[in-house]
Amino acid sequence: MGKGGSLSEGVMKKIVLSYSYVAIWIFLSFSVIVYNKYILDKKMYNWPFPISLTMIHMSFCATLAILLVRVLRIVEPVSMSRHVYLSSVVPIGALYSLSLWLSNSAYIYLSVSFIQMLKALMPVAVYSIGVLLRKESYKNDTMFNMLSISLGVGVAAYGEARFDAWGVLLQLGAVAFEATRLVMIQILLTSKGISLNPITSLYYVAPCCLVFLSIPWIFVEYPVLRDTSSFHFDFVIFGTNSFCAFALNLAVFLLVGKTSALTMNVAGVVKDWLLIAFSWSVIKDTVTPINLFGYGLAFLGVAYYNHSKLQALKAKEAQKKTAQPDEEEGSLLQDRDDNKRNDQQN
């Protein structure tokens, strides 16, 4: 604090940068979601091939990542054995490909606003899978919080004017696979001391995604594209769409690396409300009062969950600060005892 209680220039700079990272992430995430919806929706660009679109994204991201790591050497590759790659990176790549495939497929059947409401189940899925895999400890109050979020999403689904059971199943599957991927990253990579930034993660994961996606693509979309589509690759549409997807990965790294994962969760709630408003006002999707009431309940549950995580982080940091002086005092006492013993021996 400066004179008169004003914030110092350094603090103000950090605040401005933090809000800038949040704004960039929201803008890019917003853009990728709306752009994918535009390409896949039959009433818009009308190219309903989600596997192909995801493979285009992964090809673009893998090519740029290889260029930055192997050719330009801007980023150093991570030292990783073949065993670690096969046992850790490959499963994560498989989960990521399934998550992207199903989430993009959902845009064909559901409105942007309703998809954002269903995504509110992500904390529920992450916590539940974490408990099942013994990464999280079970707590009654946390589970009650998860049930309140689920109830809110259920009410929103009940009030959805354009409800499609297959689309809901696809989006719920995407949430489940993404939540499993996030937990597996903690278990498989963090436990081995491996840290991947977005460029190195795309360098290792994107080729895996391409291999896994090519299997369903050969049987599901390739025959249709070969026999019925007069598709000509639009470099402007698919190029800018893929670039946005790559930039979003960098924005995630900036936001989490320079602020915290909790900040990203809070920013995600803001982004969801903006997308719901955009979907209703611009795309003209129907948003019912029951939709909003249900998502409002889920929103309160997610907000309480984020608040609880923040309090837990503060308590952990406070515990570290109180433990540090005790450790220093213990070290000083140990040094004093050692010096006494040395004096007696001399």
Side-chain angles (χ1 to χ4, degrees), residues 106 108-110 114 118 157 160-170:
I108 299 173
Y109 305 95
L110 302 176
F114 186 42
L118 291 174
E160 174 60 22
R162 191 187 159 191
F163 185 89
D164 186 287
W166 178 240
V168 171
L169 188 63
L170 288 171

Side-chain angles (χ1 to χ4, degrees), residues 167-187:
V168 171
L169 188 63
L170 288 171
Q171 185 55 47
L172 292 179
V175 168
F177 283 122
E178 178 63 12
T180 307
R181 182 182 77 91
L182 294 174
V183 175
M184 293 294 280
I185 286 174
Q186 288 182 305
I187 295 173

Side-chain angles (χ1 to χ4, degrees), residues 25-180:
W25 179 80
I26 289 177
F27 172 76
L28 288 171
S29 182
F30 185 101
S31 300
V32 169
I33 289 170
V34 174
Y35 215 156
N36 287 351
K37 173 68 175 177
Y38 168 75
I39 292 172
L40 294 166
D41 197 294
K42 294 177 182 179
K43 297 178 181 178
M44 299 181 190
Y45 191 77
N46 190 25
W47 198 67
F49 300 102
I51 305 176
S52 301
L53 181 63
T54 308
M55 290 180 71
I56 291 171
H57 288 172
M58 289 296 103
S59 300
F60 184 87
C61 291
T63 302
L64 271 184
I66 291 170
L67 180 67
L68 292 171
V69 174
R70 287 296 180 188
V71 180
L72 300 178
R73 298 186 182 278
I74 294 175
V75 180
E76 289 294 324
V78 176
S79 178
M80 188 184 303
S81 66
R82 179 177 293 183
H83 172 73
V84 171
Y85 182 81
L86 293 175
S87 63
S88 300
V89 175
V90 170
I92 290 169
L95 291 167
Y96 193 36
S97 63
L98 288 168
S99 171
L100 291 172
W101 170 21
L102 296 183
S103 63
N104 282 334
S105 298
Y107 286 111
I108 299 173
Y109 305 95
L110 302 176
S111 66
V112 170
S113 58
F114 186 42
I115 285 175
Q116 302 317 304
M117 294 176 189
L118 291 174
K119 284 182 180 179
L121 288 170
M122 185 61 73
V124 180
V126 171
Y127 178 73
S128 301
I129 292 169
V131 170
L132 287 173
L133 298 179
R134 297 182 179 179
K135 190 65 181 175
E136 294 274 358
S137 57
Y138 176 84
K139 295 179 182 178
N140 288 329
D141 56 343
T142 305
M143 185 53 70
F144 180 77
N145 185 199
M146 298 299 106
L147 290 174
S148 69
I149 296 172
S150 303
L151 175 63
V153 174
V155 172
Y158 176 77
E160 174 60 22
R162 191 187 159 191
F163 185 89
D164 186 287
W166 178 240
V168 171
L169 188 63
L170 288 171
Q171 185 55 47
L172 292 179
V175 168
F177 283 122
E178 178 63 12
T180 307

